[in-house]
């Protein structure tokens, strides 16, 4: 079964037909036509026409190919009811399954698109045609599901029937209208592959069209939608169909195929090792890449193997306790991410300034070392494999999704009749030697291994609403988790509440997920287990059962940025309905003052405290009190997202000065209360530590002399308006109390500084408007400094308002 390549690595070639159509437009892009900064709308629309002309020509060829495939179907059907049938009706329906439907969809699309391209007008709209085409991809799903059977049936029929063999070996495909070629001969097998190839082609064209469609053009949102549907479709069928299968022959002449491979962290002799794991049809092999001299062919060294007939997954409650895993504190992982981001921005600066390639290589090497450390030290989810003849092996994964993928792939192969065996040293050598050639994952998943033209992913905030799910056979206690990729591995970011005893859970919960160069969103659906006997010895957690899992691509061109877009993800017969939209980091941290001065959100802190006749805003005091009352031991407090609908309800109650707000607070999930406090500071019309002082805070934290730094940082606090200063000191003491519970809540001072630093310091307007920089570039440099400022005050001995104000100033208060 072919693997559909969905990476937009090439633009479709413009065909000869578009060059000869006499419309006077050169198909070769003129200088600067493709660069976003210089291209004006007119040139962009000209490129649109060129892309469309090329696609239209290839669409005509595709329709001719489908016609050629359908041509023998009618006579074959006619003979099926006679005394001498070539094929039975069932065989015909299997081989030509859904071809007629696909042909009709594309013929209608072509007939609608052709006049629009031929009578070109810059105002022409055709997004609705692509949107309609994308919405009919379900037919392709049915075709793909049947493809393997169709090929096998055609092959068997050719072997047993000479007449059909002749037909299937020489099908005549008409040439394009303007071509001198009348027709070409193609085999049926080659034509049956064309629909699979076509979906990828359409996705690439949508990429190119979006590139050359102005964002304010009416087609833009429709093309975005079509691209999103196409990519999600490709993701879903790539998970369903077998990847490009490659085989190795054993010395006994049997075929052994590679089913799955990837990099996993193994806990071996108490330390973490990066392994390349290969799953063959009858054996799991764990290898490491040997160090070889320059120019020598790379090879794998086999660490161990387990025949699948001997491989068992011990039930969590049966497995022996896990050896002590040394886990790296969260703040060290966050520190490393900051370092990697800073090196990335240095690489970009070197490239932009045409820096020396040696300096760039040195930076890339450093980045690789840091990313490799992160990859090795971040996974914590145990995945144990047991050989029934004795030894157990333990991998640590970063995602439950990954663990279930490996487990499912192994269990699927174990359903076949497998024999136990022992490999001789020669057999093992041959098998290990084949790994290099057969592997499908070539590089360690770090960004320094990515090509420069690969998508850098999204930086900012993804808003996701998990609506509901259906397709469950029986009532259960159900919840969903959301994961996104970050720095080469996946991280769990949010979790819905458990919907008890139902087949149709209705969560309708909204989450805001921070993205750091993310390219995929995963949704996992679980059944909650309340059985205390099902304890996992590896981490003392009760094991919940995964009911389904699915993934969507986060393509910068396809993810909607203004409006919510509803989608459905299918997983093992379960359908989960969700909506999402994306906000870039710049947009999410833009401080917009509230239009009404009556509420508290978006209103100056001095206005609120004056109106309330308080020193610290009521909202800050109440949220802090509630967190200290029942959330101070909550794992990940202030880091785990609260449900956005709960946060919005609290925001509305505080804004309206609702008398029931205290009752609401006592009933509300603690993460929603923590989220409301963060939102209050984020929505202040200027940061708590003020726009005016921001440059001075950045300079102060960079001072290396401790005495000068202390003098400057305290002086800056004194320079704050009183309401800002009193509120800041109040919050500071609260965060220190939260960090005291770090052994339980896993929130260190550094973690809290990472969460609150940008919220309390980020200026109202980004000052780097003069030159374009990467989202990751702006993010890493500014945020590192913002985190350091807050961390400085959190690590400082207690600071009292009265003491600060009493101290004499040795230099001017003008900052």
């Amino acid at each position: 079964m072919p693997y559909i390549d969905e990476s937009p690595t090439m633009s479709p070639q413009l065909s000869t037909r578009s060059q000869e159509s006499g419309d006077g437009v050169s198909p070769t892009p003129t200088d600067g036509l493709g660069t976003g900064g210089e291209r004006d709308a007119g040139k962009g629309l000209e490129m649109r026409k060129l892309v469309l002309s090329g696609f239209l020509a290839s669409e005509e060829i595709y329709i001719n190919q489908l016609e050629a495939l359908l041509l023998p179907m009618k006579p074959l059907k006619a003979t099926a009811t006679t005394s001498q049938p070539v094929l039975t009706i069932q065989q015909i329906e299997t081989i030509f399954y859904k071809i007629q439907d696909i042909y009709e969809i594309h013929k209608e699309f072509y007939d609608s698109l052709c006049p629009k391209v031929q009578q070109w007008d810059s105002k022409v709209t055709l997004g609705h045609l692509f949107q309609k085409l994308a919405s009919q991809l379900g037919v392709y799903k049915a075709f793909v599901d049947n493809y393997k059977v169709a090929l096998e049936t055609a092959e068997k029929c050719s072997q047993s029937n000479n007449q059909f063999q002749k037909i299937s070996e020489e099908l005549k495909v008409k040439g394009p209208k303007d071509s001198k070629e009348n027709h070409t001969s193609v085999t049926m097998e080659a034509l049956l592959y064309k629909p699979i190839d076509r979906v990828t082609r359409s996705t690439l064209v949508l990429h190119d069209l979006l590139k050359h469609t102005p964002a304010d053009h009416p087609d833009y949102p429709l093309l975005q939608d079509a691209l999103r549907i196409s990519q999600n479709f490709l993701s879903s069928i790539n998970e369903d169909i077998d990847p490009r299968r490659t085989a190795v022959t054993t010395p006994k002449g049997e075929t052994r195929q590679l089913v799955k491979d990837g990099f996993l962290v193994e806990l071996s002799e108490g330390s973490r090792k990066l392994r390349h794991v290969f799953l063959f049809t009858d054996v799991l092999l764990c290898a490491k890449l040997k160090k070889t001299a320059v120019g020598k062919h790379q090879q794998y060294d086999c660490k161990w193997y387990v025949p699948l007939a001997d491989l068992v997954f011990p039930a969590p409650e049966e497995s022996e306790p896990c050896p002590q895993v040394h886990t790296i504190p969260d703040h060290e992982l966050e520190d490393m991410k900051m370092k990697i981001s800073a090196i990335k921005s240095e690489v970009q600066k070197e490239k932009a300034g045409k820096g020396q390639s040696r300096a760039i290589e040195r930076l890339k090497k450093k980045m690789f070392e840091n990313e490799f450390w992160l990859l090795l030290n971040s996974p914590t989810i145990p995945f144990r494999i047991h050989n029934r003849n004795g030894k157990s092996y333990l991998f640590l994964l970063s995602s439950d999704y990954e663990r279930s993928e490996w487990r499912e792939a192994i269990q699927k192969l174990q359903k076949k009749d497998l024999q136990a065996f022992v490999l001789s040293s020669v057999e093992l050598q041959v098998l290990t030697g084949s790994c290099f050639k057969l592997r499908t994952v070539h590089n360690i998943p770090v960004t320094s291994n990515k090509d420069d033209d690969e998508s850098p992913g999204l930086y900012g905030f993804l808003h996701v609403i998990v609506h509901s799910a259906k397709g469950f056979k029986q009532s259960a206690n159900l919840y969903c988790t959301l994961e996104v990729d970050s720095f080469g591995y996946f991280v769990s970011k949010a979790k819905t509440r458990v919907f008890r005893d139902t087949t149709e859970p209705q969560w309708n919960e909204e989450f805001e997920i921070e993205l750091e160069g993310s390219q995929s969103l995963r949704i996992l659906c679980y059944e909650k287990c309340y059985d205390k006997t099902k304890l996992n010895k590896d981490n003392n957690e009760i094991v919940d059962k995964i009911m389904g899992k699915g993934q969507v691509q986060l393509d910068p061109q396809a993810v909607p940025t203004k409006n919510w877009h509803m989608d459905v993800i299918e997983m093992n017969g379960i359908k989960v309905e969700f909506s999402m939209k994306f906000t870039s980091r710049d947009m999410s941290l833009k401080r917009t003052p509230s239009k009404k001065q009556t509420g508290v959100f978006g209103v100056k802190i001095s206005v609120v405290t004056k109106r309330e006749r308080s020193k610290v805003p009521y909202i800050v005091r109440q949220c802090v009190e509630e967190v200290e009352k029942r959330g101070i031991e909550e794992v990940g407090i202030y880091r785990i997202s609260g449900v956005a609908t709960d946060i919005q309800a609290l925001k509305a109650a505080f804004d309206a000065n609702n008398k029931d707000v205290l009752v609401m607070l006592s009933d509300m999930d603690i993460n929603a209360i923590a989220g409301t406090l963060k939102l209050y500071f984020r929505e202040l019309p200027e940061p708590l530590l003020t726009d005016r002082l921001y440059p001075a805070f950045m300079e102060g934290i960079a001072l290396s002399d401790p005495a000068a730094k202390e003098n400057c940082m305290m002086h800056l606090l004194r320079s704050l308006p009183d309401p800002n200063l009193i509120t800041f000191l109040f919050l500071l003491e609260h965060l220190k109390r939260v960090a005291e519970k770090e052994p339980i809540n896993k929130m260190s001072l550094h973690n809290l500084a990472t969460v609150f630093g940008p919220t309390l310091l980020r200026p109202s307007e980004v000052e780097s408007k003069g030159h374009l920089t990467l989202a990751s570039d702006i993010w890493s440099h500014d945020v590192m400094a913002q985190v350091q400022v807050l961390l400085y005050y959190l690590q400082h001995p207690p600071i009292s308002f009265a003491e600060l104000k009493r101290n004499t100033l040795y230099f001017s208060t003008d900052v």
Side-chain angles (χ1 to χ4, degrees):
M1 185 68 224
Y3 177 83
I4 295 183
D5 180 14
E6 55 187 285
S7 56
T9 51
M10 59 169 212
S11 299
Q13 296 298 308
L14 298 176
S15 76
T16 50
R17 181 162 174 258
S18 66
Q19 296 172 25
E20 294 166 6
S21 56
D23 53 24
V25 178
S26 160
T28 314
T30 52
D31 287 344
L33 208 61
T35 57
E38 298 162 20
R39 186 192 70 215
D40 59 24
K43 283 183 179 171
L45 293 167
E46 204 172 295
M47 276 299 286
R48 255 165 74 83
K49 186 190 175 184
L50 292 172
V51 171
L52 285 163
S53 302
F55 184 57
L56 198 62
S58 70
E59 189 73 2
E60 185 193 340
I61 293 164
Y62 180 49
I63 289 167
N64 291 346
Q65 289 165 340
L66 293 172
E67 265 178 0
L69 201 48
L70 288 169
L71 203 61
M73 191 172 79
K74 284 177 187 169
L76 284 169
K77 273 189 176 173
T79 65
T81 52
T82 64
S83 56
Q84 287 182 305
V86 180
L87 302 180
T88 66
I89 283 288
Q90 193 176 354
Q91 286 169 331
I92 294 165
E93 284 177 351
T94 303
I95 295 169
F96 298 98
Y97 185 68
K98 294 292 176 189
I99 301 290
Q100 184 70 44
D101 294 351
I102 292 172
Y103 170 76
E104 282 164 15
I105 287 167
H106 281 269
K107 185 79 174 78
E108 186 193 339
F109 172 73
Y110 178 84
D111 291 344
S112 309
L113 183 64
C114 193
K116 286 179 179 285
V117 176
Q118 286 177 344
Q119 294 143 29
W120 184 255
D121 172 352
S122 61
K123 293 186 178 67
V124 74
T125 58
L126 30 82
H128 59 288
L129 300 178
F130 281 92
Q131 196 182 32
K132 186 179 178 185
L133 186 66
S135 70
Q136 294 168 310
L137 283 172
V139 177
Y140 276 90
K141 174 84 170 92
F143 175 84
V144 167
D145 289 345
N146 179 70
Y147 174 78
K148 203 172 177 181
V149 187
L151 272 189
E152 285 167 1
T153 308
E155 203 175 318
K156 278 179 194 164
C157 293
S158 283
Q159 287 165 358
S160 60
N161 189 307
N162 283 344
Q163 216 176 334
F164 181 69
Q165 188 181 9
K166 277 182 188 161
I167 294 169
S168 64
E169 278 179 358
E170 274 208 15
L171 291 170
K172 305 292 184 207
V173 179
K174 270 191 308 192
K177 287 181 200 133
D178 303 347
S179 162
K180 289 170 188 155
E181 282 184 54
N182 293 333
H183 62 257
T184 48
S185 294
V186 186
T187 64
M188 185 174 282
E189 187 185 346
L191 287 180
L192 280 171
Y193 184 72
K194 296 298 176 187
I196 287 175
D197 197 35
R198 194 68 198 164
V199 187
T200 312
R201 181 66 182 262
S202 306
T203 310
L204 296 174
V205 168
L206 284 166
H207 257 280
D208 286 348
L209 268 180
L210 265 169
K211 244 184 251 171
H212 302 296
T213 302
D216 57 357
H217 194 286
D219 269 350
Y220 196 84
L222 302 174
L223 292 171
Q224 256 192 333
D225 194 41
L227 179 60
R228 184 185 52 76
I229 296 167
S230 302
Q231 286 184 320
N232 289 351
F233 172 75
L234 283 175
S235 290
S236 71
I237 62 175
N238 276 341
E239 289 200 353
D240 293 347
I241 63 183
D242 293 340
R244 277 169 289 215
R245 282 285 180 90
T246 20
V248 56
T249 309
T250 65
K252 291 175 187 161
E254 296 155 358
T255 299
R256 176 180 283 136
Q257 291 179 315
L258 177 68
V259 178
K260 181 178 173 64
D261 69 304
F263 289 97
L264 300 182
V265 173
E266 186 188 8
L267 196 68
S268 170
E269 295 162 2
S271 64
R272 293 165 180 254
K273 315 271 188 188
L274 192 68
R275 305 291 195 215
H276 201 146
V277 181
F278 295 86
L279 174 62
F280 290 92
T281 34
D282 61 345
V283 64
L284 184 79
L285 184 140
C286 176
K288 76 168 217 181
L289 204 55
K290 277 189 192 172
K291 283 186 177 165
T292 50
V294 180
K296 288 265 184 172
H297 182 63
Q298 282 190 301
Q299 286 179 323
Y300 281 102
D301 182 16
C302 175
K303 302 309 290 180
W304 52 264
Y305 72 90
V306 180
L308 297 192
D310 292 331
L311 191 153
V312 282
F313 296 113
E317 61 273 21
E318 295 164 5
S319 66
E320 66 267 25
C322 166
Q324 189 56 44
V325 181
H326 172 62
T327 53
I328 302 286
D330 276 355
H331 71 85
E332 283 187 34
L333 297 174
E334 292 300 323
D335 266 354
M336 187 56 84
K337 286 184 190 179
M338 290 289 196
K339 276 185 197 164
I340 293 164
S341 298
I343 297 170
K344 256 187 215 166
S345 62
E346 278 184 62
V347 171
Q348 293 302 329
K349 278 177 200 152
E350 285 284 344
K351 283 182 179 170
K354 302 279 189 290
Q356 288 185 350
S357 57
R358 201 179 295 161
I360 293 172
E361 283 311 309
R362 197 167 55 245
L363 286 167
K364 280 192 169 178
K365 187 181 176 210
K366 185 72 184 157
M367 184 156 77
F368 176 82
E369 286 166 6
N370 289 348
E371 287 188 299
F372 187 82
W373 181 91
L374 198 59
L375 204 63
L376 210 55
N377 288 292
S378 53
T380 55
I381 294 172
F383 174 48
R384 192 186 285 279
I385 279 161
H386 189 68
N387 185 335
R388 69 172 90 240
N389 301 326
K391 202 159 179 215
S392 276
Y393 303 96
L394 180 67
F395 292 109
L396 297 172
L397 310 181
S398 65
S399 153
D400 214 358
Y401 193 102
E402 204 181 350
R403 176 166 62 178
S404 71
E405 272 188 325
W406 279 97
R407 188 173 281 154
E408 283 166 22
I410 291 167
Q411 286 170 338
K412 191 174 173 186
L413 293 168
Q414 286 180 323
K415 284 178 184 162
K416 296 170 186 164
D417 183 26
L418 296 169
Q419 303 298 313
F421 58 84
V422 175
L423 292 172
S424 69
S425 59
V426 174
E427 286 173 318
L428 186 57
Q429 208 176 338
V430 169
L431 183 61
T432 310
S434 72
C435 290
F436 193 82
K437 182 176 88 235
L438 300 182
R439 62 190 180 161
T440 62
V441 180
H442 293 83
N443 291 321
I444 297 168
V446 292
T447 50
S448 34
N449 277 337
K450 275 189 186 175
D451 293 333
D452 288 347
D453 56 357
E454 276 188 65
S455 165
L458 290 173
Y459 287 84
F461 294 90
L462 186 69
H463 305 264
V464 183
I465 303 174
V466 183
H467 297 290
S468 58
K470 37 173 88 100
F472 297 98
K473 304 275 190 296
Q474 56 202 53
S475 286
N477 304 313
L478 303 162
Y479 68 93
C480 285
T481 63
L482 306 178
E483 295 181 352
V484 291
D485 56 310
S486 162
F487 292 85
Y489 59 95
F490 276 81
V491 186
S492 187
K493 287 282 191 174
K495 179 178 170 182
T496 67
R497 67 184 187 281
V498 179
F499 220 92
R500 303 289 288 260
D501 200 23
T502 181
T503 55
E504 292 201 3
Q506 299 280 334
W507 294 287
N508 294 315
E509 291 184 48
E510 184 187 332
F511 301 95
E512 182 185 77
I513 296 170
E514 188 172 357
L515 304 180
E516 299 169 299
S518 307
Q519 293 177 313
S520 302
L521 165 73
R522 289 171 169 178
I523 300 182
L524 293 95
C525 190
Y526 289 87
E527 178 182 356
K528 182 76 183 162
C529 173
Y530 291 103
D531 183 352
K532 290 276 173 35
T533 62
K534 297 226 157 82
L535 255 194
N536 187 339
K537 294 259 178 65
D538 286 335
N539 56 8
N540 284 327
E541 282 182 15
I542 294 172
V543 182
D544 296 339
K545 183 181 169 193
I546 293 184
M547 303 298 283
K549 61 188 185 348
Q551 174 166 308
V552 288
Q553 295 306 112
L554 299 178
D555 185 293
Q557 287 180 300
V559 178
T561 51
K562 288 200 179 96
N563 304 316
W564 286 101
H565 205 108
M566 194 180 267
D567 214 333
V568 173
I569 202 164
E570 295 198 34
M571 34 173 93
N572 307 350
I574 299 159
K575 289 184 179 180
V576 175
E577 212 171 65
F578 69 101
S579 297
M580 66 177 178
K581 68 175 179 181
F582 171 70
T583 313
S584 69
R585 197 179 290 284
D586 287 350
M587 291 306 295
S588 68
L589 287 165
K590 234 177 196 162
R591 299 179 184 272
T592 43
S594 172
K595 291 191 172 60
K596 55 182 197 302
Q597 290 291 300
T598 51
V600 290
F601 281 82
V603 178
K604 280 186 177 177
I605 201 160
S606 55
V607 173
V608 173
T609 49
K610 193 174 178 182
R611 188 201 310 140
E612 293 177 352
R613 297 197 178 110
S614 61
K615 288 183 174 176
V616 174
Y618 179 71
I619 180 173
V620 177
R621 284 180 286 131
Q622 290 308 322
C623 290
V624 162
E625 192 178 311
E626 203 60 40
V627 168
E628 293 198 359
K629 195 191 294 177
R630 59 191 178 92
I632 204 154
E633 295 189 349
E634 183 79 14
V635 174
I637 187 73
Y638 289 120
R639 198 186 62 217
I640 300 285
S641 299
V643 176
T645 39
D646 290 350
I647 294 171
Q648 290 305 319
L650 276 173
K651 177 184 172 177
F654 276 114
D655 266 344
N657 197 13
N658 193 323
K659 291 184 174 59
D660 297 331
V661 76
L662 290 178
V663 178
M664 280 178 77
L665 280 172
S666 60
D667 290 344
M668 199 66 83
D669 173 65
I670 201 67
N671 287 320
I673 294 166
T676 306
L677 182 64
K678 285 191 295 181
L679 185 69
Y680 169 72
F681 286 116
R682 205 159 82 204
E683 290 199 356
L684 282 174
E686 76 162 351
L688 188 66
L689 300 187
T690 73
D691 284 331
R692 185 176 70 93
L693 296 177
Y694 182 73
F697 275 114
M698 296 297 102
E699 285 168 20
I701 200 66
L703 292 171
S704 41
D705 175 49
K709 187 186 275 193
E710 165 79 3
N711 210 355
C712 179
M713 297 303 274
M714 291 304 123
H715 167 62
L716 287 170
L717 283 189
R718 285 185 210 102
S719 309
L720 284 169
D722 282 4
N724 297 54
L725 176 55
I726 296 168
T727 303
F728 178 66
L729 296 177
F730 178 80
L731 181 67
L732 212 54
E733 291 312 307
H734 163 63
L735 295 179
K736 286 180 182 181
R737 286 192 289 274
V738 171
E740 283 169 9
K741 299 283 183 183
E742 185 196 348
I744 306 164
N745 63 30
K746 308 286 186 255
M747 291 302 285
S748 62
L749 287 176
H750 191 286
N751 280 347
L752 293 163
T754 305
V755 171
F756 276 95
T759 304
L760 301 180
L761 274 131
R762 177 69 179 242
S764 308
E765 284 298 321
V766 178
E767 289 161 23
S768 55
K769 279 185 180 166
H771 60 286
L772 283 171
T773 45
L774 280 177
S776 54
D777 191 358
I778 299 167
W779 156 238
S780 62
H781 192 270
D782 286 5
V783 171
M784 278 172 85
Q786 290 157 13
V787 169
Q788 291 306 321
V789 169
L790 183 55
L791 192 58
Y792 180 84
Y793 291 121
L794 283 169
Q795 290 171 338
H796 198 280
I799 307 164
S800 90
F801 176 76
E803 198 70 29
L804 256 184
K805 289 293 181 180
R806 209 170 24 245
N807 277 355
T808 322
L809 298 186
Y810 294 105
F811 46 85
S812 160
T813 53
D814 292 333
V815 177

